[in-house]
Amino acid sequence: MVMRIVDLRSDTVTRPTNAMREAMASAEVDDDVLGYDPTARRLEEEMAKMMGKEAALFVPSGTMGNLICVMVHCDVRGSEVILGDTCHIHVYENGGISTIGGVHPKTIRNEEDGTMDLGAIEEAIRDPKGSTFYPSTRLICLENTHANSGGRCLSADYTDRVGEIAKRHGLKLHIDGARIFNASVALGVPVHRLVTAADSVSVCLSKGLGAPIGSVIVGSQSFIEKAKTLRKTLGGGMRQIGVLCAAALVALQENLPKLQSDHKKTKLLAEGLNKMKGIRVNVAAMETNMIFMDMEDGSRLTAEKLRKSLTEHGILVIPENSSRIRMVIHHQITASDVHYTLSCLQQAVQTIQESCQN
């Protein structure tokens, strides 16, 4: 029986800490649908202040948060949003902006660093004169950090320039900031500066921050009032949510300072992986807490073989495809866990390659 578990599937797999559980048990609560939960108010006020926006709203998930933001900005059905072809909203959120929101996605190729070419963004904006035939562009979406690019960070300068394009054409800018705090720490830039140009931001509490549930969306007071109505429409209005918000407040206090350590452990793991025969990691492109580990051609390694071998040693990972594995570091992964993972992986690589030679 495997006794040691090292869960690298995602930073969403963390367990609530004892401090979180204690805060949840003693949280002061009331009916949030009626607007009276004091712990929810405290979290929302704190998040709005940190992000430099007027107001905030707790939502059950990042997917709902992004959907609400897109629907508030694109309140006319058949509106169009410009977004990256590998971004989370487009790939992993069930097409909700289309099926529920009636919003048409116009995709731009994401570069390796998670950005979209500024010229391509501007070129994709529809000419209002063609509104008889085409969707009307109303919104641009960015993702920071960009998960499918390996947790790459979008700079404040880049985001500002996208914001300038949006304003020049009368559009809104939304940032899917599921891991925006990771970007802030990696870039050494205050989080509010990374979203100055944004009209709305969704921030996940249950990824790098390690809270058990929820996201927060931020924006102007009028935006949040509209968002609150949509949250209710989508089934996201909950009653005594202070129980959940209490854990998030602990996460902001205890886990936010740990993100830099998470990034250092990620680098340590990546550098160790890159020394193994048959495995390739682009260490230079690594900026936050995510690793894409590729199997080199001719190595006879496959993602599934390595996953199975690692699982036998209690190390959990997610294959991205037949020759790539994703690993994500979080605050409950120790330096000892990293060394253990490297040792087990080295053993697995040697065993697989030797078996293929026999």
Side-chain angles (χ1 to χ4, degrees):
M1 178 181 291
V2 174
M3 299 300 293
R4 184 171 189 171
I5 298 294
V6 180
D7 198 337
L8 302 173
R9 292 173 298 168
S10 178
D11 47 8
T12 61
V13 302
T14 56
R15 272 49 170 182
T17 63
N18 289 336
M20 289 181 190
R21 293 178 189 273
E22 290 171 6
M24 294 169 75
S26 61
E28 186 181 358
V29 298
D30 203 330
D31 191 324
D32 185 64
V33 174
L34 299 180
Y36 293 117
D37 191 295
T39 307
R41 293 295 79 74
R42 188 153 62 94
L43 173 65
E44 290 167 348
E45 290 169 4
E46 178 67 17
M47 288 295 293
K49 181 180 178 181
M50 293 178 76
M51 306 300 290
K53 303 300 180 185
E54 291 179 359
L57 183 69
F58 181 89
V59 292
S61 71
T63 294
M64 181 181 285
N66 284 328
L67 177 58
I68 288 172
C69 291
V70 171
M71 289 178 67
V72 171
H73 294 309
C74 301
D75 56 352
V76 177
R77 292 184 68 83
S79 298
E80 189 166 75
V81 55
I82 296 172
L83 73 177
D85 63 341
T86 63
C87 76
H88 199 279
I89 293 175
H90 184 61
V91 178
Y92 298 118
E93 299 185 8
N94 295 109
I97 63 171
S98 298
T99 58
I100 299 174
V103 179
H104 185 265
K106 174 70 173 179
T107 57
I108 304 295
R109 186 173 72 89
N110 278 118
E111 306 294 340
E112 289 186 1
D113 63 358
T115 63
M116 296 179 285
D117 180 77
L118 296 173
I121 293 175
E122 193 145 24
E123 187 177 332
I125 298 171
R126 304 283 187 176
D127 186 341
K129 296 178 182 178
S131 60
T132 302
F133 305 97
Y134 308 121
S136 297
T137 309
R138 294 181 184 272
L139 177 66
I140 302 171
C141 288
L142 300 176
E143 181 182 337
N144 196 12
T145 63
H146 195 275
N148 270 344
S149 297
R152 300 293 295 274
C153 305
L154 306 189
S155 69
D157 177 67
Y158 173 79
T159 304
D160 287 348
R161 294 173 72 184
V162 175
E164 290 168 4
I165 293 173
K167 286 183 179 179
R168 189 158 60 243
H169 293 273
L171 310 180
K172 300 296 184 181
L173 173 62
H174 170 67
I175 296 178
D176 175 1
R179 296 182 176 90
I180 192 75
F181 284 107
N182 289 88
S184 172
V185 169
L187 294 171
V189 176
V191 69
H192 67 83
R193 180 63 190 88
L194 293 179
V195 300
T196 301
D199 296 285
S200 62
V201 187
S202 61
V203 184
C204 191
L205 303 167
S206 61
K207 289 189 169 71
L209 294 177
I213 297 172
S215 286
V216 171
I217 56 178
V218 299
S220 67
Q221 189 66 52
S222 61
F223 172 87
I224 291 299
E225 287 303 317
K226 294 175 183 177
K228 193 175 296 183
T229 300
L230 274 172
R231 182 184 69 172
K232 177 67 172 175
T233 302
L234 295 171
M238 298 184 289
R239 303 298 178 176
Q240 286 72 30
I241 63 168
V243 173
L244 304 178
C245 295
L249 285 165
V250 173
L252 286 173
Q253 182 178 3
E254 292 191 351
N255 293 342
L256 183 53
K258 297 177 182 177
L259 293 180
Q260 188 171 15
S261 174
D262 291 345
H263 297 172
K264 289 180 179 179
K265 286 178 284 189
T266 306
K267 194 92 168 183
L268 176 65
L269 178 58
E271 289 171 347
L273 293 171
N274 218 29
K275 295 175 182 177
M276 297 184 191
K277 185 178 180 181
I279 288 177
R280 183 178 69 257
V281 175
N282 186 358
V283 179
M286 276 191 41
E287 295 176 339
T288 54
N289 66 327
M290 197 173 295
I291 296 172
F292 285 149
M293 180 180 76
D294 294 306
M295 279 98 258
E296 294 180 340
D297 293 341
S299 67
R300 300 183 179 180
L301 300 173
T302 68
E304 181 55 27
K305 286 179 181 178
L306 285 178
R307 183 205 64 79
K308 185 176 179 180
S309 179
L310 289 173
T311 300
E312 292 172 354
H313 292 86
I315 301 169
L316 308 180
V317 297
I318 293 181
E320 287 281 304
N321 54 45
S322 62
S323 60
R324 168 174 279 192
I325 285 176
R326 188 184 85 157
M327 298 179 177
V328 186
I329 297 291
H330 48 80
H331 74 98
Q332 291 176 338
I333 297 297
T334 66
S336 174
D337 291 330
V338 170
H339 291 298
Y340 175 70
T341 299
L342 289 171
S343 175
C344 292
L345 191 56
Q346 180 67 70
Q347 180 181 339
V349 168
Q350 290 177 346
T351 300
I352 292 170
Q353 291 178 336
E354 288 172 1
S355 67
C356 290
Q357 293 172 357
N358 295 334

